[in-house]
Amino acid sequence: DAKTTQPNSMESNEEEPVHLPCNHSTISGTDYIHWYRQLPSQGPEYVIHGLTSNVNNRMASLAIAEDRKSSTLILHRATLRDAAVYYCILEPNFGNEKLTFGTGTRLTIIP
Amino acid sequence: NAGVTQTPKFQVLKTGQSMTLQCAQDMNHNSMYWYRQDPGMGLRLIYYSASEGTTDKGEVPNGYNVSRLNKREFSLRLESAAPSQTSVYFCASRVPGHGRETQYFGPGTRLLVL
């Protein structure tokens, strides 16, 4: 199964943009890139996902490298409520339900 | 919609006791999952069910059994609890088999085995 690599932790100042990187050099052509986040003492929640093209939603943007071996989650204006662990995972398009979460990136927001 | 619900929220067991963790979803999803999360770690898949009546092992199935009672409910059973099973357990569901679909997670069950 394709794996992802993320930095263990990052810090950012409040109201500034945050770029969270993820490497997935063994990604297959049909794997979707998903980002989830986990706020303290809660279950993970969906943030954004994409296949090849960059994606935007109300929470964040996802920038996917042209070779798809890396991606970046962009929080345009971080708030204290964005402090969480962010997970980048690869979800196969068909036939394999065994999803793998890594240890994620713990994002700290500095007021 | 309640989404994904889990009971109980917290449980303390003694080594060797058994218990069942309950999970239910009201989103008409076919696929359901059980994960465990140890302190400071990511989630690891225990078992999953791609549809009613089917279950399959994930990454860490030893010491657990599951039952997909119907489309809504997916339970996780610990037959003889061990301290190594102290963890937070999350249930999730989604539309099956397509990588573009989102998983929805429950709030978790915190289990302490003494």
Side-chain angles (χ1 to χ4, degrees), chain B residues 11-80:
Chain B
Q11 183 73 46
V12 179
L13 291 179
K14 294 181 180 178
T15 297
Q17 287 184 319
S18 63
M19 79 162 295
T20 300
L21 283 64
Q22 306 286 353
C23 173
Q25 52 90 11
D26 61 2
M27 296 173 283
N28 203 36
H29 289 163
N30 282 335
S31 290
M32 297 186 73
Y33 309 83
W34 276 106
Y35 293 90
R36 62 176 286 175
Q37 184 175 36
D38 299 332
M41 305 292 288
L43 281 73
R44 292 185 292 171
L45 183 65
I46 305 171
Y47 270 93
Y48 64 93
S49 170
S51 62
E52 184 179 349
T54 68
T55 61
D56 209 342
K57 295 177 181 179
E59 183 184 353
V60 288
N62 290 345
Y64 304 95
N65 288 304
V66 290
S67 178
R68 185 70 183 270
L69 304 168
N70 47 55
K71 192 171 186 180
R72 288 188 64 248
E73 298 171 293
F74 188 36
S75 61
L76 178 72
R77 183 160 178 84
L78 286 71
E79 290 291 350
S80 179

Side-chain angles (χ1 to χ4, degrees), chain A residues 34 36 38 91 93 97 99, chain B residues 33 37 94 97-99 103:
Chain A
H34 282 244
Y36 289 80
Q38 187 174 21
E91 298 209 12
N93 197 14
E97 299 276 358
L99 309 174
Chain B
Y33 309 83
Q37 184 175 36
R94 73 167 185 177
H98 298 286
Q103 289 186 74

Side-chain angles (χ1 to χ4, degrees), chain A residues 6-33:
Chain A
Q6 300 176 251
N8 287 335
S9 62
M10 290 183 64
E11 288 185 349
S12 178
N13 293 321
E14 193 177 10
E15 299 187 2
E16 291 188 355
V18 182
H19 291 236
L20 296 163
C22 181
N23 288 321
H24 29 78
S25 58
T26 60
I27 190 171
S28 77
T30 57
D31 287 345
Y32 280 79
I33 302 160

